[in-house]
């Protein structure tokens, strides 16, 4: 049912329509540019867990690496501007957030989960932004209908859509991913399920959809497999150039020697999964064990709030321990 609004409201709707359409076309335009242009660097589809910090991990020199790992680099800068007492006070509040089961202790696993959260806070900030635009009825849930209407409604209602893009095909792909993220199958996403929908590479139960979508992108002949030329073609557009860069030759060797494990000339689902979702070294796990080992005064394998605050300079910076350049970020943690 469509309700007529005031002229101002209609103008606002038209403006919103134009903005959403431009945003979608811009994204699609960038996607096309990326797929048809000749790249100067290879496309990297591999999902690696990034390093926790770009600083050296040398506690004999300073705890800068540990600060970045525990807080995230940006928030670590904030603590560098605080007095030791202010740092201790804020750290004490953070401990309450890390202690997920509220038993008064921080375990290695709880600390690992916190570090992973701190390192990927940008993901949750992105989800928060998108959540506001898709929870149309304000019930703290996002249904598939809400997402579809907010994302595709303006395009699908257009009687003369741009035929250069198959919006319906994009919507079908989104719906498939939404259903995969929706654990209970009610087509209504919780915040966590919506996060899994937007960032499937971060969730173990979504890995199959990441692999499937990657294979669909690369598999040009539709046989459900990725052959050598499709693999190279996803990274590099020859455009009649017979002289391939060295990195392309290296990728050919990588495909033949390591990617195609059974040497049948193609990558199947499991081989593609091993390529794009490798089992990396768990930096967060290693750092959480390091922090517990260094702070656990009674050696019971877990930390109290007092043990963490007593060793506060390992976890967070302050004016007393920061001898680097002055930083000016003062927002609240």
């Amino acid at each position: 049912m469509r309700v007529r609004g005031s002229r101002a409201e209609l103008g606002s709707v038209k403006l919103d329509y134009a903005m959403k359409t431009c945003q979608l076309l811009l994204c699609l335009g960038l996607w096309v540019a990326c797929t048809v242009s000749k790249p100067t660097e290879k496309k990297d589809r591999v999902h690696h867990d990034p390093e926790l910090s770009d600083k050296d991990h040398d506690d004999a020199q300073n705890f800068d690496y540990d600060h970045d790992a525990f807080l995230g680099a940006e928030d670590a800068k904030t603590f560098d501007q605080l007095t030791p007492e202010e740092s201790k006070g804020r750290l004490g509040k953070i401990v309450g957030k890390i202690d997920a089961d509220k038993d008064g202790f921080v375990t290695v696993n709880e600390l690992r989960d916190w570090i992973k959260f701190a390192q990927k806070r940008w993901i949750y900030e992105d989800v928060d932004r998108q959540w506001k635009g898709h929870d149309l009825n304000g019930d703290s849930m996002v249904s598939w209908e809400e997402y579809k209407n907010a994302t595709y409604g303006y395009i699908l209602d257009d009687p003369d859509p741009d035929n250069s893009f198959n919006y319906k095909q994009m919507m079908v792909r989104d719906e498939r991913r939404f259903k995969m993220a929706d654990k209970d199958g009610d087509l209504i996403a919780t915040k966590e399920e919506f996060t899994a929908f937007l960032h499937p590479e971060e969730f173990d139960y979504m890995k199959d959809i990441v692999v499937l979508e990657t294979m669909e992108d690369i598999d040009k002949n539709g046989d459900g497999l990725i052959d050598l030329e499709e693999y190279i073609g996803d990274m590099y557009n020859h455009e009649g150039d017979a002289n391939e860069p060295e990195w392309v030759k290296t990728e050919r060797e990588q495909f033949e020697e390591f990617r195609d494990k059974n040497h049948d000339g193609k990558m199947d689902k499991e081989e593609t999964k091993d390529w794009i979702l490798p089992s990396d070294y768990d930096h967060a796990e290693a750092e959480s064990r390091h922090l517990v080992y260094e702070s656990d005064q009674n050696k019971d394998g877990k930390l109290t709030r007092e043990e963490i605050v007593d060793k506060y300079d390992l976890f967070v910076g302050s004016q007393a321990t920061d001898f680097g350049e002055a930083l000016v970020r003062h927002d609240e943690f």
Side-chain angles (χ1 to χ4, degrees):
M1 176 180 180
R2 299 185 181 272
V3 180
R4 291 185 179 273
S6 66
R7 182 171 297 177
E9 289 172 332
L10 291 174
S12 177
V13 169
K14 290 180 179 179
L15 178 60
D16 189 32
Y17 168 79
M19 291 177 64
K20 284 179 178 283
T21 303
C22 288
Q23 288 172 354
L24 185 55
L25 290 175
L26 176 60
C27 291
L28 291 168
L30 289 173
W31 176 80
V32 170
C34 289
T35 57
V36 301
S37 62
K38 185 174 182 178
T40 56
E41 296 180 0
K42 69 176 182 179
K43 183 189 301 181
D44 189 3
R45 289 188 178 270
V46 182
H47 298 280
H48 290 290
D49 276 338
E51 294 284 349
L52 302 180
S53 173
D54 59 3
K55 300 179 177 67
D56 292 333
H57 195 183
D58 185 358
D59 288 354
Q61 296 294 322
N62 56 58
F63 298 129
D64 291 345
Y65 177 98
D66 301 296
H67 299 166
D68 284 359
F70 180 71
L71 296 168
E74 288 304 310
D75 284 303
K77 296 176 184 178
T78 303
F79 276 76
D80 289 338
Q81 294 299 297
L82 304 177
T83 66
E85 289 308 312
E86 288 172 329
S87 280
K88 290 179 183 180
R90 290 199 187 185
L91 176 59
K93 294 178 181 178
I94 293 173
V95 173
K97 299 178 181 179
I98 302 173
D99 179 17
D101 60 9
K102 306 304 178 186
D103 66 350
F105 296 97
V106 170
T107 64
V108 169
N109 288 343
E110 287 173 333
L111 193 51
R112 177 202 62 206
D113 292 344
W114 167 262
I115 290 171
K116 289 185 175 182
F117 170 80
Q119 292 294 314
K120 296 179 178 180
R121 189 175 284 111
W122 66 271
I123 289 176
Y124 301 100
E125 292 172 350
D126 172 59
V127 172
D128 284 341
R129 285 191 296 269
Q130 298 211 43
W131 185 265
K132 294 174 184 176
H134 291 96
D135 179 16
L136 302 181
N137 63 5
D139 65 348
S140 297
M141 306 285 277
V142 172
S143 68
W144 166 246
E145 286 300 314
E146 285 179 313
Y147 181 83
K148 180 179 71 174
N149 290 334
T151 305
Y152 297 103
Y154 292 93
I155 299 299
L156 297 178
D157 283 346
D158 190 338
D160 186 24
D162 186 343
N163 292 323
S164 63
F165 299 107
N166 192 335
Y167 298 112
K168 290 187 178 180
Q169 186 175 359
M170 292 169 58
M171 187 175 67
V172 167
R173 181 159 157 159
D174 270 356
E175 183 176 11
R176 182 181 63 190
R177 188 198 286 189
F178 193 97
K179 288 179 177 178
M180 178 73 73
D182 176 30
K183 288 183 175 181
D184 58 12
D186 62 358
L187 286 180
I188 300 175
T190 63
K191 194 74 166 284
E192 181 179 357
E193 289 170 339
F194 193 63
T195 304
F197 167 68
L198 294 176
H199 299 277
E201 69 282 354
E202 302 296 331
F203 293 79
D204 285 341
Y205 81 99
M206 295 293 290
K207 287 183 177 180
D208 285 346
I209 202 71
V210 176
V211 174
L212 178 60
E213 290 179 359
T214 301
M215 294 188 76
E216 288 176 343
D217 290 342
I218 302 175
D219 174 25
K220 301 304 181 186
N221 62 13
D223 66 352
L225 301 165
I226 299 174
D227 62 34
L228 176 58
E229 293 310 313
E230 288 170 335
Y231 174 78
I232 295 298
D234 182 59
M235 306 177 185
Y236 176 72
N237 188 348
H238 291 267
E239 292 186 351
D241 184 1
N243 298 316
E244 290 182 341
E246 282 300 316
W247 68 262
V248 176
K249 296 177 183 177
T250 300
E251 283 298 333
R252 288 185 180 277
E253 295 171 359
Q254 289 285 319
F255 182 94
E256 293 170 349
E257 295 179 20
F258 303 108
R259 310 280 186 243
D260 176 21
K261 298 183 185 300
N262 61 5
H263 303 293
D264 66 349
K266 299 181 179 183
M267 283 197 297
D268 58 23
K269 177 182 175 181
E270 289 304 313
E271 289 167 332
T272 303
K273 184 176 183 179
D274 289 342
W275 166 43
I276 66 171
L277 297 169
S279 300
D280 288 335
Y281 175 75
D282 195 331
H283 299 283
E285 174 82 17
E287 177 65 9
S288 65
R289 291 187 179 280
H290 167 67
L291 293 175
V292 170
Y293 176 82
E294 294 294 335
S295 309
D296 184 13
Q297 296 175 13
N298 63 3
K299 302 304 176 185
D300 64 350
K302 52 191 177 183
L303 302 178
T304 63
R305 179 184 181 280
E306 290 72 23
E307 285 176 322
I308 292 175
V309 174
D310 284 348
K311 195 69 174 178
Y312 83 97
D313 57 338
L314 173 65
F315 292 86
V316 299
S318 72
Q319 292 173 349
T321 59
D322 175 45
F323 298 100
E325 63 177 317
L327 298 166
V328 295
R329 188 168 180 260
H330 295 284
D331 53 312
E332 289 291 324
F333 184 81

mmCIF file of all heavy atoms in Angstrom, residues 255-282:
data_model
loop_
_atom_site.group_PDB
_atom_site.id
_atom_site.type_symbol
_atom_site.label_atom_id
_atom_site.label_comp_id
_atom_site.label_asym_id
_atom_site.label_seq_id
_atom_site.Cartn_x
_atom_site.Cartn_y
_atom_site.Cartn_z
ATOM 1 N N PHE A 255 49.535 -22.499 -9.175
ATOM 2 C CA PHE A 255 48.336 -23.262 -9.488
ATOM 3 C C PHE A 255 48.686 -24.722 -9.748
ATOM 4 O O PHE A 255 48.054 -25.635 -9.187
ATOM 5 C CB PHE A 255 47.634 -22.667 -10.712
ATOM 6 C CG PHE A 255 46.358 -23.370 -11.092
ATOM 7 C CD1 PHE A 255 45.139 -22.916 -10.620
ATOM 8 C CD2 PHE A 255 46.369 -24.486 -11.917
ATOM 9 C CE1 PHE A 255 43.950 -23.558 -10.955
ATOM 10 C CE2 PHE A 255 45.190 -25.142 -12.261
ATOM 11 C CZ PHE A 255 43.981 -24.676 -11.771
ATOM 12 N N GLU A 256 49.677 -24.950 -10.592
ATOM 13 C CA GLU A 256 50.010 -26.308 -11.010
ATOM 14 C C GLU A 256 50.639 -27.122 -9.882
ATOM 15 O O GLU A 256 50.408 -28.331 -9.773
ATOM 16 C CB GLU A 256 50.939 -26.261 -12.219
ATOM 17 C CG GLU A 256 50.241 -25.690 -13.467
ATOM 18 C CD GLU A 256 51.210 -25.418 -14.601
ATOM 19 O OE1 GLU A 256 52.444 -25.464 -14.352
ATOM 20 O OE2 GLU A 256 50.749 -25.154 -15.729
ATOM 21 N N GLU A 257 51.425 -26.462 -9.021
ATOM 22 C CA GLU A 257 52.158 -27.194 -7.995
ATOM 23 C C GLU A 257 51.412 -27.293 -6.664
ATOM 24 O O GLU A 257 51.549 -28.295 -5.945
ATOM 25 C CB GLU A 257 53.520 -26.534 -7.762
ATOM 26 C CG GLU A 257 54.449 -26.596 -8.967
ATOM 27 C CD GLU A 257 55.783 -25.918 -8.710
ATOM 28 O OE1 GLU A 257 56.134 -25.752 -7.519
ATOM 29 O OE2 GLU A 257 56.459 -25.538 -9.680
ATOM 30 N N PHE A 258 50.623 -26.241 -6.317
ATOM 31 C CA PHE A 258 50.036 -26.195 -4.986
ATOM 32 C C PHE A 258 48.511 -26.067 -4.963
ATOM 33 O O PHE A 258 47.841 -26.687 -4.143
ATOM 34 C CB PHE A 258 50.643 -25.028 -4.181
ATOM 35 C CG PHE A 258 52.134 -25.104 -4.066
ATOM 36 C CD1 PHE A 258 52.945 -24.217 -4.770
ATOM 37 C CD2 PHE A 258 52.742 -26.062 -3.264
ATOM 38 C CE1 PHE A 258 54.319 -24.278 -4.673
ATOM 39 C CE2 PHE A 258 54.119 -26.137 -3.145
ATOM 40 C CZ PHE A 258 54.921 -25.249 -3.851
ATOM 41 N N ARG A 259 47.933 -25.237 -5.836
ATOM 42 C CA ARG A 259 46.487 -25.024 -5.800
ATOM 43 C C ARG A 259 45.740 -26.284 -6.249
ATOM 44 O O ARG A 259 44.822 -26.741 -5.577
ATOM 45 C CB ARG A 259 46.082 -23.855 -6.695
ATOM 46 C CG ARG A 259 46.866 -22.574 -6.487
ATOM 47 C CD ARG A 259 46.379 -21.798 -5.302
ATOM 48 N NE ARG A 259 47.050 -20.525 -5.214
ATOM 49 C CZ ARG A 259 47.838 -20.146 -4.197
ATOM 50 N NH1 ARG A 259 48.016 -20.962 -3.161
ATOM 51 N NH2 ARG A 259 48.421 -18.965 -4.192
ATOM 52 N N ASP A 260 46.146 -26.812 -7.404
ATOM 53 C CA ASP A 260 45.517 -28.011 -7.966
ATOM 54 C C ASP A 260 46.175 -29.239 -7.329
ATOM 55 O O ASP A 260 47.068 -29.857 -7.895
ATOM 56 C CB ASP A 260 45.684 -28.006 -9.491
ATOM 57 C CG ASP A 260 45.147 -29.258 -10.140
ATOM 58 O OD1 ASP A 260 44.306 -29.933 -9.512
ATOM 59 O OD2 ASP A 260 45.570 -29.560 -11.273
ATOM 60 N N LYS A 261 45.692 -29.613 -6.144
ATOM 61 C CA LYS A 261 46.357 -30.645 -5.349
ATOM 62 C C LYS A 261 46.321 -32.027 -5.998
ATOM 63 O O LYS A 261 47.261 -32.819 -5.857
ATOM 64 C CB LYS A 261 45.735 -30.706 -3.950
ATOM 65 C CG LYS A 261 45.905 -29.409 -3.158
ATOM 66 C CD LYS A 261 45.331 -29.537 -1.755
ATOM 67 C CE LYS A 261 45.380 -28.213 -1.010
ATOM 68 N NZ LYS A 261 46.748 -27.702 -0.857
ATOM 69 N N ASN A 262 45.238 -32.356 -6.709
ATOM 70 C CA ASN A 262 45.165 -33.679 -7.337
ATOM 71 C C ASN A 262 45.647 -33.664 -8.786
ATOM 72 O O ASN A 262 45.563 -34.677 -9.483
ATOM 73 C CB ASN A 262 43.746 -34.245 -7.260
ATOM 74 C CG ASN A 262 42.726 -33.380 -7.990
ATOM 75 O OD1 ASN A 262 43.083 -32.394 -8.650
ATOM 76 N ND2 ASN A 262 41.449 -33.734 -7.867
ATOM 77 N N HIS A 263 46.117 -32.497 -9.219
ATOM 78 C CA HIS A 263 46.745 -32.343 -10.539
ATOM 79 C C HIS A 263 45.851 -32.829 -11.691
ATOM 80 O O HIS A 263 46.317 -33.456 -12.643
ATOM 81 C CB HIS A 263 48.090 -33.082 -10.581
ATOM 82 C CG HIS A 263 49.045 -32.634 -9.510
ATOM 83 N ND1 HIS A 263 49.599 -31.368 -9.487
ATOM 84 C CD2 HIS A 263 49.526 -33.281 -8.415
ATOM 85 C CE1 HIS A 263 50.390 -31.251 -8.426
ATOM 86 N NE2 HIS A 263 50.358 -32.392 -7.751
ATOM 87 N N ASP A 264 44.564 -32.469 -11.597
ATOM 88 C CA ASP A 264 43.659 -32.795 -12.700
ATOM 89 C C ASP A 264 43.418 -31.592 -13.600
ATOM 90 O O ASP A 264 42.574 -31.637 -14.491
ATOM 91 C CB ASP A 264 42.335 -33.335 -12.167
ATOM 92 C CG ASP A 264 41.539 -32.287 -11.381
ATOM 93 O OD1 ASP A 264 42.102 -31.211 -11.080
ATOM 94 O OD2 ASP A 264 40.358 -32.549 -11.065
ATOM 95 N N GLY A 265 44.131 -30.496 -13.339
ATOM 96 C CA GLY A 265 44.032 -29.315 -14.181
ATOM 97 C C GLY A 265 42.981 -28.319 -13.734
ATOM 98 O O GLY A 265 42.832 -27.259 -14.360
ATOM 99 N N LYS A 266 42.269 -28.635 -12.641
ATOM 100 C CA LYS A 266 41.207 -27.747 -12.178
ATOM 101 C C LYS A 266 41.150 -27.747 -10.653
ATOM 102 O O LYS A 266 41.550 -28.707 -10.005
ATOM 103 C CB LYS A 266 39.850 -28.190 -12.745
ATOM 104 C CG LYS A 266 39.788 -28.158 -14.273
ATOM 105 C CD LYS A 266 38.414 -28.577 -14.776
ATOM 106 C CE LYS A 266 38.366 -28.511 -16.299
ATOM 107 N NZ LYS A 266 37.009 -28.851 -16.826
ATOM 108 N N MET A 267 40.623 -26.649 -10.099
ATOM 109 C CA MET A 267 40.387 -26.579 -8.666
ATOM 110 C C MET A 267 38.923 -26.861 -8.378
ATOM 111 O O MET A 267 38.042 -26.213 -8.940
ATOM 112 C CB MET A 267 40.755 -25.196 -8.104
ATOM 113 C CG MET A 267 42.241 -24.958 -7.937
ATOM 114 S SD MET A 267 42.580 -23.544 -6.847
ATOM 115 C CE MET A 267 41.855 -22.206 -7.766
ATOM 116 N N ASP A 268 38.680 -27.821 -7.485
ATOM 117 C CA ASP A 268 37.321 -28.078 -7.046
ATOM 118 C C ASP A 268 37.020 -27.253 -5.801
ATOM 119 O O ASP A 268 37.808 -26.383 -5.407
ATOM 120 C CB ASP A 268 37.104 -29.570 -6.786
ATOM 121 C CG ASP A 268 38.070 -30.128 -5.738
ATOM 122 O OD1 ASP A 268 38.593 -29.350 -4.903
ATOM 123 O OD2 ASP A 268 38.311 -31.348 -5.751
ATOM 124 N N LYS A 269 35.885 -27.536 -5.157
ATOM 125 C CA LYS A 269 35.456 -26.747 -4.009
ATOM 126 C C LYS A 269 36.467 -26.788 -2.868
ATOM 127 O O LYS A 269 36.806 -25.746 -2.288
ATOM 128 C CB LYS A 269 34.098 -27.259 -3.520
ATOM 129 C CG LYS A 269 33.571 -26.563 -2.280
ATOM 130 C CD LYS A 269 32.243 -27.151 -1.838
ATOM 131 C CE LYS A 269 31.765 -26.528 -0.528
ATOM 132 N NZ LYS A 269 30.481 -27.125 -0.076
ATOM 133 N N GLU A 270 36.957 -27.979 -2.519
ATOM 134 C CA GLU A 270 37.889 -28.100 -1.403
ATOM 135 C C GLU A 270 39.223 -27.444 -1.716
ATOM 136 O O GLU A 270 39.846 -26.815 -0.848
ATOM 137 C CB GLU A 270 38.089 -29.569 -1.039
ATOM 138 C CG GLU A 270 36.882 -30.205 -0.366
ATOM 139 C CD GLU A 270 36.449 -29.443 0.880
ATOM 140 O OE1 GLU A 270 37.328 -29.113 1.704
ATOM 141 O OE2 GLU A 270 35.237 -29.185 1.030
ATOM 142 N N GLU A 271 39.687 -27.578 -2.941
ATOM 143 C CA GLU A 271 40.951 -26.947 -3.337
ATOM 144 C C GLU A 271 40.815 -25.429 -3.334
ATOM 145 O O GLU A 271 41.744 -24.708 -2.932
ATOM 146 C CB GLU A 271 41.375 -27.458 -4.717
ATOM 147 C CG GLU A 271 41.833 -28.906 -4.696
ATOM 148 C CD GLU A 271 41.963 -29.505 -6.085
ATOM 149 O OE1 GLU A 271 41.238 -29.056 -7.008
ATOM 150 O OE2 GLU A 271 42.776 -30.435 -6.257
ATOM 151 N N THR A 272 39.664 -24.925 -3.760
ATOM 152 C CA THR A 272 39.423 -23.481 -3.732
ATOM 153 C C THR A 272 39.355 -22.976 -2.304
ATOM 154 O O THR A 272 39.891 -21.900 -1.977
ATOM 155 C CB THR A 272 38.115 -23.140 -4.467
ATOM 156 O OG1 THR A 272 38.169 -23.627 -5.808
ATOM 157 C CG2 THR A 272 37.879 -21.636 -4.488
ATOM 158 N N LYS A 273 38.732 -23.754 -1.431
ATOM 159 C CA LYS A 273 38.642 -23.379 -0.015
ATOM 160 C C LYS A 273 40.025 -23.303 0.612
ATOM 161 O O LYS A 273 40.334 -22.361 1.366
ATOM 162 C CB LYS A 273 37.768 -24.384 0.731
ATOM 163 C CG LYS A 273 37.523 -24.029 2.190
ATOM 164 C CD LYS A 273 36.551 -25.029 2.826
ATOM 165 C CE LYS A 273 36.247 -24.651 4.259
ATOM 166 N NZ LYS A 273 35.277 -25.605 4.876
ATOM 167 N N ASP A 274 40.886 -24.261 0.321
ATOM 168 C CA ASP A 274 42.251 -24.243 0.848
ATOM 169 C C ASP A 274 43.017 -23.021 0.355
ATOM 170 O O ASP A 274 43.891 -22.505 1.061
ATOM 171 C CB ASP A 274 43.004 -25.513 0.431
ATOM 172 C CG ASP A 274 42.493 -26.750 1.159
ATOM 173 O OD1 ASP A 274 41.831 -26.588 2.198
ATOM 174 O OD2 ASP A 274 42.754 -27.873 0.672
ATOM 175 N N TRP A 275 42.671 -22.565 -0.838
ATOM 176 C CA TRP A 275 43.352 -21.392 -1.421
ATOM 177 C C TRP A 275 42.889 -20.094 -0.775
ATOM 178 O O TRP A 275 43.707 -19.308 -0.296
ATOM 179 C CB TRP A 275 43.093 -21.366 -2.932
ATOM 180 C CG TRP A 275 43.429 -20.075 -3.609
ATOM 181 C CD1 TRP A 275 44.544 -19.299 -3.402
ATOM 182 C CD2 TRP A 275 42.642 -19.391 -4.595
ATOM 183 N NE1 TRP A 275 44.491 -18.170 -4.203
ATOM 184 C CE2 TRP A 275 43.351 -18.199 -4.941
ATOM 185 C CE3 TRP A 275 41.426 -19.659 -5.215
ATOM 186 C CZ2 TRP A 275 42.854 -17.300 -5.890
ATOM 187 C CZ3 TRP A 275 40.954 -18.771 -6.165
ATOM 188 C CH2 TRP A 275 41.655 -17.608 -6.484
ATOM 189 N N ILE A 276 41.584 -19.858 -0.728
ATOM 190 C CA ILE A 276 41.092 -18.544 -0.291
ATOM 191 C C ILE A 276 40.878 -18.439 1.215
ATOM 192 O O ILE A 276 40.801 -17.340 1.761
ATOM 193 C CB ILE A 276 39.788 -18.149 -1.029
ATOM 194 C CG1 ILE A 276 38.646 -19.087 -0.654
ATOM 195 C CG2 ILE A 276 40.015 -18.108 -2.529
ATOM 196 C CD1 ILE A 276 37.299 -18.631 -1.179
ATOM 197 N N LEU A 277 40.774 -19.587 1.893
ATOM 198 C CA LEU A 277 40.557 -19.581 3.344
ATOM 199 C C LEU A 277 41.605 -20.475 4.019
ATOM 200 O O LEU A 277 41.277 -21.519 4.602
ATOM 201 C CB LEU A 277 39.147 -20.071 3.674
ATOM 202 C CG LEU A 277 37.997 -19.211 3.154
ATOM 203 C CD1 LEU A 277 36.668 -19.952 3.306
ATOM 204 C CD2 LEU A 277 37.943 -17.874 3.878
ATOM 205 N N PRO A 278 42.853 -20.086 3.940
ATOM 206 C CA PRO A 278 43.912 -20.931 4.508
ATOM 207 C C PRO A 278 43.858 -20.954 6.027
ATOM 208 O O PRO A 278 43.333 -20.045 6.666
ATOM 209 C CB PRO A 278 45.200 -20.238 4.018
ATOM 210 C CG PRO A 278 44.808 -18.800 3.879
ATOM 211 C CD PRO A 278 43.380 -18.818 3.394
ATOM 212 N N SER A 279 44.390 -22.019 6.589
ATOM 213 C CA SER A 279 44.493 -22.130 8.050
ATOM 214 C C SER A 279 45.730 -21.370 8.503
ATOM 215 O O SER A 279 46.839 -21.914 8.540
ATOM 216 C CB SER A 279 44.570 -23.606 8.467
ATOM 217 O OG SER A 279 43.428 -24.306 8.061
ATOM 218 N N ASP A 280 45.526 -20.102 8.835
ATOM 219 C CA ASP A 280 46.649 -19.247 9.204
ATOM 220 C C ASP A 280 47.045 -19.436 10.662
ATOM 221 O O ASP A 280 46.282 -19.945 11.482
ATOM 222 C CB ASP A 280 46.286 -17.762 8.987
ATOM 223 C CG ASP A 280 46.211 -17.410 7.513
ATOM 224 O OD1 ASP A 280 46.860 -18.098 6.710
ATOM 225 O OD2 ASP A 280 45.489 -16.454 7.178
ATOM 226 N N TYR A 281 48.241 -18.985 10.956
ATOM 227 C CA TYR A 281 48.694 -18.893 12.339
ATOM 228 C C TYR A 281 47.767 -17.947 13.091
ATOM 229 O O TYR A 281 47.458 -16.855 12.616
ATOM 230 C CB TYR A 281 50.124 -18.357 12.345
ATOM 231 C CG TYR A 281 50.707 -18.083 13.707
ATOM 232 C CD1 TYR A 281 51.123 -19.133 14.526
ATOM 233 C CD2 TYR A 281 50.859 -16.779 14.170
ATOM 234 C CE1 TYR A 281 51.683 -18.878 15.776
ATOM 235 C CE2 TYR A 281 51.420 -16.511 15.411
ATOM 236 C CZ TYR A 281 51.825 -17.573 16.203
ATOM 237 O OH TYR A 281 52.377 -17.324 17.432
ATOM 238 N N ASP A 282 47.315 -18.361 14.276
ATOM 239 C CA ASP A 282 46.358 -17.561 15.042
ATOM 240 C C ASP A 282 47.102 -16.548 15.909
ATOM 241 O O ASP A 282 47.526 -16.853 17.026
ATOM 242 C CB ASP A 282 45.486 -18.469 15.912
ATOM 243 C CG ASP A 282 44.252 -17.759 16.453
ATOM 244 O OD1 ASP A 282 44.320 -16.526 16.637
ATOM 245 O OD2 ASP A 282 43.233 -18.429 16.701
#
